[in-house]
Every structure is written in structure tokens, then in C-alpha cells.
């Protein structure tokens, strides 16, 4: 018999609606021996079984909910539960026709939204890259690797522990193995070389794939300014789609070197890659027909929101001040601490502040292989807004 937690009546509906985290103050009482990293039963205030989760005495996420009792799956042990969730995730990607001839890099498993909080898996050709960010994931590393090998027998499994979240979750034995391995992947026909040894995230920002394609559809015959270009995502798609001139700026020498290599792999020559502070190029926005503004995460947590908002105001005031009428802006925020509606309002207001008008043409999220849950707004982290300046 598993140990169990019994929830306060005022808090249980959040879990029943599908939120994957139970905080300490939501727990009324416990029974049995609670072991960090192990499965426990979750009961309502009326002591009815409502689900199972993973207990963690070290974490603010005291229980990570892995299944509700109204789901028809075996929750008696972690192996069967992990196997079931991985199969569900693969089924969803099969529905999306991923992978395919044009796209060989995609997110296979998206943590909470795919039912296993703390586990993220990206697949690059026949390489499953596991980003582990929870105590229980590290504790069950072999179980997860074996389940993946059963699903993709020919794949190499690359394990990438995420040091900061693991430390916050109480896992101290963090061993990061150096990866001496590269692979070339396709994203909507664009070639990228992924260097796992130098990787941010798991090797590539796969969440922007569909936004890259949106920019590609608008790029033919245009001049493009790509700020915070990283390894060339937006710039490469624009070049392949027929943009006449592209200036791509990033402060990271490593990112610029990767981007230049990717441009060579794709045979595109109209991109000028510049290692510099993107802020120095905001004043040049008027020389271009389309500007991409995709800064790194500015809002790591709620306590940073106001400071980040001020920085976003500065970036957008400067870019709008210099953009010409009839040009386009794609601007992105990659933190759930600033909601999509807040970001839209903030961006639009900066156009008005400098005497310009901006029309919102579309508001987009991450690529479809990054599912989200309505019950878990914290997972809706990426907002991309397409605007026209008039």
C-alpha cells in the first residue's frame, strides 16, 4: 500500500482540474512513510482517491501529480506509468506527422503537458536528448532510459541534467557528462548542425519552428533585421525563402559561429552575421522591411517582472521609434511570468508612446509539438506577436 496525502477541501479542485503541482499548504494530512522521489496516492478531503504523484520533501512542488484516478491506466508502479506517458506522447507526435522528410528535430515529451512533470525530451534524428529537471527523474534515470529504448530501439539516449532546477528540487549528485557528438537535422527543410557539447536547452530552440516558418512566408524580396539571432533560426528560414538582405545580430561568439556554419550548410550568402549587442542595432530598424526581436528569457520568475517590463518597454520604444511605415515586427517573450495578454498590451503601448500605430496581425505560441494545458498556465511560456507599423 502506497503512502498518501490528503488535500484540503479548498485546494483539491485545482488538482481535479488537472494542475500538476501540489504545494505544501494544500496538504491537510499524510499517512504512511513518505519517501522523496517515490509514488504516493492523492486523496480528497473526503478521503476519495483522486490520483497519484511523486512526493518530494525538499521541493515547493511537494507532490508532482502524474495521473488522475479517472484515467484508465495502471498507476501501480512508475515503470508502467512512464511507459504509458511516453507512448501517449509519441502518439501525439505521430498525429502531427513528426518526424517527416522536412523536419527531423522535434519535442517528443513536454514535461507537465505530456503528463510527467520534470521530464523533457527532444529528438534529433535518432538521438533522444533528455532534459531532467526533477529529483524523481534523476532517481529513475534507468527506468526512463529503458522505456525510451523500448520505444526507439535504434536511438542514442543523451542525458542532460538541468543543474539549477535539480538543485532547487533537492537533487545534489548532479553529474553532467561531456557530449562529444554532433548531428545535422532538418527544420522545415532548413539544415542545422546541433553540437550537444555546446548546447543551450537540448541543442536547438525547437519551440520557434512554426514561427520561423511564418517569417519565411513573409520574407521574399525583403530586407530583414534579426536581433538576438542565436544559431540563425529566423535568418536562415528568411534567406531560404528569398529575402534579399539579412542582418543577424547576437552577442555570443559561439552562437554567431554556429549560425555562420548553418548558413554555409544551407548555401545561403545574403546573411551578414554580427557579434554585437543587439541593442546597438535598434536604431537601424528603419533600414529594414521586417524586424525580428527575440531576446533571451528576461523574466526568470515573478519577482523579476517589473524590471523585465521596463526592459521590454525600452526595446520596443526604440525599435518602433525607428521602424518605417509599412514594415513588420515579430517580437517574442519566452516567460510564463508575463502573460500573453500583458505582453501584447505592453508592446502595443510602446508604439503609441513614440507616435506610431501598430496593428497586431497574429499572436502565436510554441510549435505544436510543445502542447500546453488550460489548467496549467505556467506552461504557456512563449508568446510571439506579429505586428505591422502604419
Amino acid at each position: 500500500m502506497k503512502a498518501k496525502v490528503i488535500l484540503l477541501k479548498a485546494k483539491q479542485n485545482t488538482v481535479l482540474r488537472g494542475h500538476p503541482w501540489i504545494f505544501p499548504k494544500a496538504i491537510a494530512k499524510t499517512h504512511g512513510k513518505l519517501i522523496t522521489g517515490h509514488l504516493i496516492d492523492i486523496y480528497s478531503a473526503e478521503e476519495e482517491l483522486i490520483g497519484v504523484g511523486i512526493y518530494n520533501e525538499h521541493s515547493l512542488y511537494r507532490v508532482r501529480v502524474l495521473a488522475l484516478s479517472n484515467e484508465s491506466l495502471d498507476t501501480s508502479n512508475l515503470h508502467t506509468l512512464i511507459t504509458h506517458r511516453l507512448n501517449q506522447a509519441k502518439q501525439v507526435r505521430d498525429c502531427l506527422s513528426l518526424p517527416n522528410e522536412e523536419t527531423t528535430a522535434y519535442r517528443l515529451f513536454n514535461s507537465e503537458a505530456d503528463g510527467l512533470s520534470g521530464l523533457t525530451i527532444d529528438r534529433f534524428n535518432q538521438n533522444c536528448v533528455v532534459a531532467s529537471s526533477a529529483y524523481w527523474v534523476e532517481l529513475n534515470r534507468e527506468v526512463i532510459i529503458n522505456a525510451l529504448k523500448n520505444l526507439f530501439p535504434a536511438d542514442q539516449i543523451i542525458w542532460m541534467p538541468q543543474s539549477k532546477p535539480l538543485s532547487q528540487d533537492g537533487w545534489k549528485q548532479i553529474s553532467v557528462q561531456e557530449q562529444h557528438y554532433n548531428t545535422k537535422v532538418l527544420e522545415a527543410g532548413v539544415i542545422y548542425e546541433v553540437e550537444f557539447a555546446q548546447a543551450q536547452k537540448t541543442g536547438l530552440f525547437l519551440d520557434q519552428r512554426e514561427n520561423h516558418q511564418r517569417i519565411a512566408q513573409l520574407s521574399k524580396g525583403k530586407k530583414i533585421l534579426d536581433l538576438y539571432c542565436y544559431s540563425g533560426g529566423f535568418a536562415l528560414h528568411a534567406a531560404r525563402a528569398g529575402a534579399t538582405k539579412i542582418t543577424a545580430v547576437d552577442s555570443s561568439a559561439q552562437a554567431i559561429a554556429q549560425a555562420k556554419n548553418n548558413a554555409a550548410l544551407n548555401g545561403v550568402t545574403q546573411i551578414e552575421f554580427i557579434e554585437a549587442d543587439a541593442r546597438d542595432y535598434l536604431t537601424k530598424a528603419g533600414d529594414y522591411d521586417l524586424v525580428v526581436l527575440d531576446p533571451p528569457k528576461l523574466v526568470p520568475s515573478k519577482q523579476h517582472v517589473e524590471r523585465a517590463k521596463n526592459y521590454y518597454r525600452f526595446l520596443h520604444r526604440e525599435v518602433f521609434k525607428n521602424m518605417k511605415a509599412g514594415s513588420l515586427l515579430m517580437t517574442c517573450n519566452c516567460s510564463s511570468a508575463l502573460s500573453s495578454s500583458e505582453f501584447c498590451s505592453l508592446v502595443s503601448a510602446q508604439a503609441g508612446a513614440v507616435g506610431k500605430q501598430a496593428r497586431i496581425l497574429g499572436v502565436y505560441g510554441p510549435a505544436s509539438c510543445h502542447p500546453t494545458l488550460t489548467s496549467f498556465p505556467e506552461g504557456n511560456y512563449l508568446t510571439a506577436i506579429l505586428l505591422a507599423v502604419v
Side-chain angles (χ1 to χ4, degrees), residues 235-282:
L236 293 167
H237 281 267
R240 284 281 303 266
T244 55
K245 174 192 173 184
I246 303 162
T247 304
V249 184
D250 201 285
S251 62
S252 165
Q254 178 195 316
I256 290 295
Q258 277 185 283
K260 287 179 177 178
N261 180 52
N262 288 333
L265 289 173
N266 286 277
V268 294
T269 56
Q270 69 270 51
I271 308 174
E272 181 185 10
F273 289 106
I274 301 172
E275 182 192 336
D277 190 328
R279 293 173 295 184
D280 296 339
Y281 282 77
L282 297 169

Side-chain angles (χ1 to χ4, degrees), residues 33-347:
K33 187 177 181 182
L34 301 169
I35 303 173
T36 292
H38 288 237
L39 272 180
I40 59 164
D41 287 329
I42 304 162
Y43 281 79
S44 68
E46 296 78 25
E47 301 212 15
E48 293 177 353
L49 181 66
I50 59 175
V52 299
I54 296 284
Y55 180 76
N56 189 340
E57 65 183 314
H58 310 293
S59 177
L60 184 63
Y61 313 141
R62 193 55 49 89
V63 181
R64 293 178 188 258
V65 183
L66 302 189
L68 294 177
S69 55
N70 60 5
E71 296 183 77
S72 55
L73 60 134
D74 181 359
T75 59
S76 60
N77 66 78
L78 260 176
H79 180 268
T80 56
L81 188 48
I82 290 167
T83 299
H84 186 88
R85 290 296 191 217
L86 288 173
N87 275 290
Q88 285 180 320
K90 182 180 182 298
Q91 190 176 48
V92 171
R93 278 63 183 183
D94 289 345
C95 291
L96 295 170
S97 298
L98 291 170
N100 56 59
E101 288 182 0
E102 291 286 293
T103 296
T104 62
Y106 63 100
R107 175 144 298 178
L108 171 67
F109 202 93
N110 199 35
S111 193
E112 289 85 4
D114 277 308
L116 295 175
S117 175
L119 176 65
T120 299
I121 307 168
D122 287 339
R123 193 160 181 250
F124 302 89
N125 298 324
Q126 289 187 311
N127 301 281
C128 281
V129 183
V130 180
S132 158
S133 61
Y135 187 110
W136 79 268
V137 176
E138 286 295 317
L139 191 66
N140 292 279
R141 180 189 288 214
E142 291 308 313
V143 176
I144 293 165
I145 288 173
N146 288 334
L148 277 171
K149 284 181 175 175
N150 286 332
L151 203 59
F152 301 108
D155 276 25
Q156 175 175 323
I157 313 299
I158 299 171
W159 195 274
M160 287 190 176
Q162 307 298 296
S163 298
K164 186 177 178 182
L166 281 172
S167 179
Q168 291 170 340
D169 217 45
W171 185 265
K172 303 303 182 189
Q173 315 97 271
I174 300 167
S175 57
V176 181
Q177 292 181 327
E178 199 168 330
Q179 305 294 340
H180 301 284
Y181 193 71
N182 296 1
T183 190
K184 293 182 180 70
V185 297
L186 288 171
E187 180 189 87
V190 172
I191 306 165
Y192 293 86
E193 183 166 25
V194 181
E195 299 179 20
F196 296 112
Q198 306 290 338
Q200 288 192 41
K201 287 194 172 179
T202 57
L204 206 59
F205 289 94
L206 301 175
D207 48 8
Q208 289 281 32
R209 182 181 69 251
E210 289 162 16
N211 293 323
H212 289 162
Q213 292 171 257
R214 290 182 176 100
I215 290 302
Q217 290 166 3
L218 300 167
S219 293
K220 189 172 184 180
K222 290 191 173 73
K223 296 181 199 172
I224 314 286
L225 177 61
D226 182 7
L227 299 178
Y228 306 97
C229 69
Y230 187 49
S231 59
F234 284 103
L236 293 167
H237 281 267
R240 284 281 303 266
T244 55
K245 174 192 173 184
I246 303 162
T247 304
V249 184
D250 201 285
S251 62
S252 165
Q254 178 195 316
I256 290 295
Q258 277 185 283
K260 287 179 177 178
N261 180 52
N262 288 333
L265 289 173
N266 286 277
V268 294
T269 56
Q270 69 270 51
I271 308 174
E272 181 185 10
F273 289 106
I274 301 172
E275 182 192 336
D277 190 328
R279 293 173 295 184
D280 296 339
Y281 282 77
L282 297 169
T283 57
K284 301 182 187 299
D287 299 336
Y288 298 87
D289 307 302
L290 195 161
V291 179
V292 175
L293 192 57
D294 186 18
K297 193 172 188 175
L298 297 179
V299 198
S301 65
K302 289 282 187 187
Q303 69 195 61
H304 299 90
V305 168
E306 285 311 312
R307 187 171 64 188
K309 280 183 177 179
N310 286 333
Y311 192 66
Y312 274 130
R313 288 185 185 104
F314 159 73
L315 290 176
H316 290 93
R317 270 200 309 272
E318 290 303 303
V319 80
F320 281 131
K321 191 188 297 180
N322 292 286
M323 285 178 72
K324 62 188 179 185
S327 59
L328 297 171
L329 170 68
M330 170 74 89
T331 182
C332 308
N333 164 53
C334 60
S335 173
S336 62
L338 185 62
S339 72
S340 179
S341 59
E342 284 181 296
F343 187 57
C344 285
S345 297
L346 183 152
V347 169

